[in-house]
């Protein structure tokens, strides 16, 4: 069973270096500038990462702050729960 409070705390402490490694390990290559933006969005509101009902909102925000292509590249990290798996 996942401890959501602990998961939230881990997401808040996630560094760009670790975030880049997580993406790379799942064959998702995004430039550091866009990764910083995505990481900021996730840190500002980690709940959509933890609750799949809110995934479309998170992806919309990512698309709005970066671009649709970057959002599509990043989408598996959230939809396939790669980020959550790495945090556990």
């Amino acid at each position: 069973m996942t401890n959501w409070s602990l998961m939230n705390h881990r997401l808040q402490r996630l560094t760009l270096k670790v975030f880049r490694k997580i993406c790379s390990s799942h064959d998702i290559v995004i430039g550091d500038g866009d990764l910083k933006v995505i990481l900021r969005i996730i840190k500002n509101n980690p709940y959509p990462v933890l609750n799949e009902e809110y995934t479309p909102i998170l992806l919309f925000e990512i698309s709005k702050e970066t671009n649709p292509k970057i959002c599509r590249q990043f989408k598996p990290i959230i939809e396939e729960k790669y980020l959550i798996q790495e945090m556990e």
Side-chain angles (χ1 to χ4, degrees):
M1 186 167 151
T2 303
N3 180 332
W4 297 116
S5 178
L6 178 61
M7 186 70 64
N8 180 43
H9 182 68
R10 287 181 179 167
L11 285 170
Q12 293 295 320
R13 295 183 60 213
L14 188 62
T15 65
L16 179 61
K17 182 178 178 180
V18 172
F19 192 48
R20 187 182 319 112
K21 280 186 178 182
I22 291 169
C23 289
S24 294
S25 71
H26 295 285
D27 299 321
I28 296 171
V29 180
I30 298 174
D32 281 353
D34 289 321
L35 278 180
K36 286 179 186 177
V37 170
I38 295 169
L39 186 57
R40 177 183 45 81
I41 292 169
I42 288 172
K43 284 184 171 187
N44 285 343
N45 191 8
Y47 190 70
V49 174
L50 304 174
N51 185 335
E52 64 188 43
E53 291 179 20
Y54 294 96
T55 297
I57 295 168
L58 176 65
L59 294 174
F60 174 77
E61 287 298 317
I62 290 169
S63 180
K64 190 169 78 173
E65 298 260 347
T66 59
N67 64 57
K69 180 182 176 189
I70 296 296
C71 185
R72 280 190 304 275
Q73 286 177 286
F74 183 74
K75 195 175 182 179
I77 291 288
I78 301 300
E79 288 188 339
E80 302 298 325
K81 300 186 184 338
Y82 295 144
L83 187 56
I84 291 173
Q85 291 168 10
E86 295 287 340
M87 296 281 105
E88 291 180 327

